[in-house]
Amino acid sequence: MIPELGHYALVLALVVALVQSVIPLWGAARRDAAMMEVGRTAAYCQFAALALAFGALTYAHVVSDFSVLNVVENSHTDKPMLYKVAGVWGNHEGSLVLWVFILALFGALVAAFGRNLPASLRARVLAVQGMIGVGFLWFMVATSNPFTRVDPAPLNGHDLNPLLQDPGLAFHPPFLYLGYVGFSLCFSFAAGALIEGRVDAAWARWVRPWALIAWSSLTLGIAMGSWWSYYTLGWGGWWFWDPVENASLMPWLAGTALLHSAIVVEKRDTLKSWTILLAIVTFTLSLMGTFLVRSGVLTSVHAFASDPARGVFILALLVVATGGSLLLYALRAPILKAGGLFAPISREGGLVLNNLLLSTACATVFLGTLYPLFMDAVGGGKISIGPPFFNATFVPLMVPVVAVMAMGPLLSWKRADLAGVLERLKIAALVGVLAALAALWLAGTKPVLAVLALGLAGWAVMGAVVDVADRIRLFRMPLADSLSRARHLPRGAWGTAIAHAGLGVAVAGMVGTSAWTTEAIQVLHIGQSVDVAGYSFRLDSVAEAPGPNYTARRAVLTVTRHGDFVATLAPEQRFYPVTRMTTTGAAIHTNFFSDLYAVVGEPAPDGTGYNTRFYRHPLVPWIWVGSILMMAGGLVSLSDRRLRVGVPLKRAVPRAAAAIPPAPAE
């Protein structure tokens, strides 16, 4: 009964989405307040229906209702409860339910908190959100019903992919989808503004909070996926440039450009057309990442042949969403009036450079990801584009982004004094030099580019510190006054500094582990040891260990340094009997500066030793520390009331105060 209720809720949500996509838009054209108000009501109803559908599917997984095909294919009675819940979105159909649920949540939030928006703009935004919902819900109902029944019901399920049975993967997709779907609101605001033919500072203030929510969530989602691949796959790497990773990186890059471009619209009333285009492109890339990865089209063109209905729907939805929005942009963007002029050396100029570099980097990742698919589709044969291409093209584009990032917040609007900005960044330059010298001292001169990159990371982090110090006039006035200014500094300024510093920290981690990782691969027998970067790894024992739905071969390793105990590591291999799959569980000992990483694999051919792999990863924890700082910076900026609400707060003036005439101008 509950699965049928969930299926009914999906169909009801589709009907409501159709109403939401038509009536408010018609009402906005006719200036009919009652018809425009239908958008808010429909948004609430769609959210309630999809909450019911998502709850029904979750319930089916939690109670192991094997009369539902989705539960049979992705669950098992022995699976821990966390992974039973995660199994809801660990598959194609369930992930779409999560997608539309989050989409409806954002629509309901606009309906609830968008009362200060012009009624016509709010109606058009909700209508576009409804259109997106129609596309997704129609796709689900027609080709991807998550509530399909099985008769007779089996006694047990096929279990979830063992690689997905991990805390990192349990929470990674929801945050990733919060990012993807969050950019749908930016897209809806862009489409609504194009229909109205007006983009102004108030519009930019309304777009930026949703862009911040989406960007922060996507940052955390990508970081969690990177962390999962680092400790679960057993390869010792944190990024592999595979299509699934690139599918999330592309909207992140475009969304970062969108955030910075919206600032220019708000502050200087320019770059309107470019900001609208970025909103369209960012959501288009989010659609691509969501659908192509989930359908399998991104990894193999033959996925169309295995499921033609889904392939056609994917193509149709991408064509309609992308083609329709770009056609609207081509027709309406020319009427958007340009704002004021600005000099190349200005904050606007810095943000434009930021946009150009990020957009080019995004285009590079797009080309490298989809070109092999295109060549295969047109009969050009199978080709592979891997890390060498991306490292040679993407990384050089990001170097000037990080270099200019420290200067941007110190530049003034319209026209800036570059010499004065560089003067204020002397301390940042000194810290960068010291960071490079520290790398030379600790790691030697090779590779030279890594030493320079570490200096660049130090420059970026200290640049963020200098920005805050400059704003509060640290050391230029009494400390008490500086602290007072710090307390009253807008949270948006704090958020910008934290996010910029976080990127610098993450860059340092990426450089450190990429350039100076030490690896040792060998066969060890019980009692033997091997030295890796000054640490001694001794294999003490290997024994079987039971798990809730797997059996494990667990090793115990003792790590020492110069004879002193450092850590005990317990890597393991897990075998899942239901899926007949084996996974690797790395053991990691971490401190602030490095990770010791151990993997114990299959027994050696002689039957007495074990294949082992040990790493020392310098600075790798900084990747995730920096990512968390970036996300925190976005959330701090979001807490700034100027970004949470689209209009200034109207303060009530006491009658007694109102009776006092204003002081004469001096």
Side-chain angles (χ1 to χ4, degrees), residues 168 171-179 212-228 248 252 624-632 635:
F171 299 103
H172 163 65
F175 282 106
L176 209 61
Y177 282 12
L178 277 171
L212 275 170
I213 292 173
W215 182 86
S216 300
S217 301
L218 191 56
T219 300
L220 182 60
I222 292 173
M224 293 179 71
S226 174
W227 167 240
W228 167 81
S248 59
W252 186 87
W624 297 289
V625 171
S627 299
I628 292 172
L629 284 174
M630 283 191 283
M631 180 205 66
L635 296 180

Side-chain angles (χ1 to χ4, degrees), residues 32-59:
D32 187 320
M35 295 177 70
M36 288 190 287
E37 190 65 17
V38 170
R40 294 181 64 246
T41 304
Y44 292 140
C45 292
Q46 187 184 167
F47 172 68
L50 288 171
L52 178 60
F54 183 74
L57 185 60
T58 302
Y59 176 80

Side-chain angles (χ1 to χ4, degrees), residues 409-555:
L410 295 172
L411 295 170
S412 57
W413 295 103
K414 197 171 182 179
R415 182 179 291 104
D417 177 16
L418 182 59
V421 170
L422 294 176
E423 175 71 19
R424 284 181 281 173
L425 285 170
K426 287 188 301 185
I427 296 179
L430 177 61
V431 170
V433 171
L434 291 176
L437 292 175
L440 282 173
W441 178 56
L442 294 172
T445 58
K446 295 182 180 180
V448 175
L449 291 179
V451 173
L452 297 177
L454 206 60
L456 184 63
W459 155 270
V461 173
M462 197 60 197
V465 175
V466 169
D467 175 35
V468 173
D470 186 71
R471 289 174 182 271
I472 65 175
R473 298 184 182 178
L474 189 64
F475 305 129
R476 290 186 289 162
M477 60 168 48
L479 181 60
D481 294 341
S482 292
L483 293 176
S484 177
R485 289 178 66 90
R487 286 193 299 270
H488 294 92
L489 192 65
R491 293 179 185 175
W494 280 110
T496 298
I498 293 171
H500 285 185
L503 180 58
V505 172
V507 167
M510 297 171 191
V511 172
T513 187
S514 300
W516 296 300
T517 289
T518 305
E519 177 186 14
I521 302 175
Q522 60 282 307
V523 173
L524 280 186
H525 296 78
I526 303 298
Q528 286 186 331
S529 62
V530 63
D531 290 336
V532 181
Y535 292 87
S536 178
F537 291 76
R538 187 183 70 234
L539 180 61
D540 294 332
S541 64
V542 179
E544 298 295 322
N549 60 334
Y550 60 83
T551 58
R553 183 190 299 115
R554 184 175 300 157

